[in-house]
Amino acid sequence: MTASKWSIVRRVEAAVPRSMPADDLLRVAAVGAVSAIIDVRPPEAYAAGHISGAVNIPETKITALVHAVTRHPNAVLVCDDGRLSTAVARTLAFCDFTGIYCLDGGLAAWNEVGGFLVTLSARGTERRVGRPERPSKLSRLARLLSFRLLFLGLAASAGTVALALRLFS
């Protein structure tokens, strides 16, 4: 009984998942060198936005996760902040699955390094979502000038109306 207890302790200690920084995943995914990206979040969160090409297998679907990891031994597990994917990777490592990575920092870190999220349209095509494009300096300047010109135009017309009322009163 004691030997089996120590073997379990050794397996738990060995079940530390390997993490992959978001910028590494961005480079590896850009050249297509990642075997699979598995999103372990619930389907609603996956539908709201996920990494392009990621497969959604929620952490509650243990059998499907085991089959996916068997087919793709160097899979990267992904969640919102990295905690759920780390727990799932630890569980799989405890079950002697090696080569499993989890995205360090989750999708939050993915967005910080310039990665983007996609959703699936009704036709099944991916559509980019996430942070809006930052306006250029020229467009910000044009917007600022248009507000100032509008203000000056309103002030001038109010002054003209006030002058006309004095003259014709």
Side-chain angles (χ1 to χ4, degrees), residues 139-159:
S139 66
R140 286 188 303 220
L141 179 64
R143 190 175 20 193
L144 180 65
L145 285 176
S146 65
F147 285 130
R148 286 187 178 170
L149 290 174
L150 177 66
F151 179 74
L152 289 174
L154 288 174
S157 63

Side-chain angles (χ1 to χ4, degrees), residues 38 56-58 60-71 92:
I38 301 173
N56 182 231
I57 305 174
T60 56
K61 308 277 185 182
I62 304 296
T63 306
L65 270 170
V66 168
H67 286 299
V69 171
T70 303
R71 284 191 310 265
L92 290 171

Side-chain angles (χ1 to χ4, degrees), residues 25-98:
L25 180 59
L26 191 63
R27 284 191 291 268
V28 170
V31 295
V34 66
S35 80
I37 299 174
I38 301 173
D39 196 322
V40 295
R41 299 176 299 154
E44 304 82 36
Y46 175 82
H50 57 274
I51 296 174
S52 179
V55 178
N56 182 231
I57 305 174
E59 50 101 15
T60 56
K61 308 277 185 182
I62 304 296
T63 306
L65 270 170
V66 168
H67 286 299
V69 171
T70 303
R71 284 191 310 265
H72 306 287
N74 292 325
V76 179
L77 303 181
V78 175
C79 69
D80 287 323
D81 57 7
R83 289 183 286 179
L84 178 62
S85 60
T86 301
V88 172
R90 181 171 283 133
T91 303
L92 290 171
F94 182 74
C95 298
D96 291 332
F97 287 99
T98 58

Side-chain angles (χ1 to χ4, degrees), residues 124-144:
T125 58
E126 290 184 342
R127 187 173 49 100
R128 220 174 157 163
V129 296
R131 60 185 179 275
E133 293 295 322
R134 186 176 174 173
S136 67
K137 288 182 181 179
L138 185 61
S139 66
R140 286 188 303 220
L141 179 64
R143 190 175 20 193
L144 180 65

Side-chain angles (χ1 to χ4, degrees), residues 2-48:
T2 307
S4 65
K5 181 170 86 171
W6 289 112
S7 65
I8 290 174
V9 169
R10 280 193 297 274
R11 286 177 67 191
V12 168
E13 289 174 352
V16 176
R18 294 186 285 180
S19 64
M20 179 178 284
D23 54 345
D24 286 353
L25 180 59
L26 191 63
R27 284 191 291 268
V28 170
V31 295
V34 66
S35 80
I37 299 174
I38 301 173
D39 196 322
V40 295
R41 299 176 299 154
E44 304 82 36
Y46 175 82

